[in-house]
Amino acid sequence: MTDWLVGLMESLGAPGAGLAIALENLFPPLPSEVILPLAGFTAARGEMDLLDVLVCTTLGSVFGALALYWVGAMLGRERTLAIAARLPLVKVSDIEKTEAWFLRHGRTTVFFGRMIPIFRSLISVPAGVERMPLPQFTLLTTAGSLVWNTVFVLAGYFLGENWHLVEAYVGIGTNVVIALVVLAVVVFVGVRLGERRKGRHARRR
């Protein structure tokens, strides 16, 4: 993967880093934790301008997020509820509660969500489903992405040849997020199965 990224940046320069980040939004296996520090290291070597890297990667983040926003917008609330109604253990009320929560905290979620592994991409979809005002979504995404991108690009810039250490440390945080998500899913499934058992016992009585 690193060779591919190096080739992309050698061919296109800073816009190549921006393209990689846009693709990262759509294909999470392309981790920004690798792309951004590598871009910063490349800038430190004088092969790209640091400001150009920050601008292009932030634009890439925004364009990738907007693509997913429109996926959510095209999916829409009614289709989302219809899909939820067909899923095992999921209730329409779960989606409605999530929707209510997002309407209250959507702006904070979009901004800080851009700095959380895994959720960085996913958060754009519910924003589209709920049709968060596009200017607001774009502004919050730009701000959150700029913070995230700047931290990682500068880390690679100052670490130099050791830029890959960023991926190692962030990988720990990513694994923690994954573990919490898995735990939440296990708890959710356990609660729902418990509710079903109680419901069956109540009907037998």
Side-chain angles (χ1 to χ4, degrees):
M1 181 184 295
T2 302
D3 292 339
W4 176 79
L5 291 171
V6 170
L8 188 63
M9 285 187 272
E10 285 179 348
S11 302
L12 302 177
L19 175 60
I21 288 296
L23 293 174
E24 179 258 346
N25 279 265
L26 304 174
F27 306 101
L30 292 171
S32 62
E33 296 86 349
V34 174
I35 300 169
L36 295 171
L38 178 57
F41 169 57
T42 305
R45 295 175 60 183
E47 297 175 20
M48 294 191 297
D49 182 75
L50 180 61
L51 181 59
D52 288 346
V53 170
L54 293 173
V55 170
C56 289
T57 54
T58 299
L59 287 175
S61 296
V62 173
F63 286 136
L66 285 172
L68 290 175
Y69 174 93
W70 286 113
V71 168
M74 288 186 290
L75 181 63
R77 182 175 183 273
E78 296 305 317
R79 286 196 185 95
T80 301
L81 292 175
I83 292 171
R86 297 190 184 98
L87 294 175
L89 303 180
V90 177
K91 299 178 181 178
V92 172
S93 60
D94 294 329
I95 304 300
E96 292 174 339
K97 288 175 183 176
T98 302
E99 177 184 37
W101 186 90
F102 190 86
L103 290 174
R104 290 195 303 272
H105 307 288
R107 287 176 293 182
T108 302
T109 303
V110 169
F111 176 75
F112 287 104
R114 299 303 307 170
M115 306 174 211
I116 302 175
I118 300 174
F119 292 100
R120 297 184 65 250
S121 299
L122 298 178
I123 195 59
S124 301
V125 177
V129 169
E130 295 302 326
R131 289 301 182 101
M132 173 182 277
L134 193 55
Q136 184 181 86
F137 174 79
T138 303
L139 178 61
L140 292 168
T141 297
T142 300
S145 298
L146 181 60
V147 172
W148 174 270
N149 293 355
T150 299
V151 169
F152 283 89
V153 168
L154 291 181
Y157 186 87
F158 289 114
L159 283 172
E161 296 284 350
N162 295 316
W163 65 269
H164 58 276
L165 292 176
V166 177
E167 180 188 8
Y169 285 109
V170 175
I172 297 172
T174 301
N175 290 335
V176 170
V177 172
I178 292 173
L180 290 174
V181 171
V182 171
L183 177 61
V185 171
V186 170
V187 170
F188 174 80
V189 172
V191 169
R192 278 297 143 82
L193 290 175
E195 289 175 351
R196 282 193 174 185
R197 281 195 294 268
K198 289 180 181 178
R200 288 171 187 165
H201 290 319
R203 285 194 294 271
R204 287 173 185 171
R205 293 175 184 175

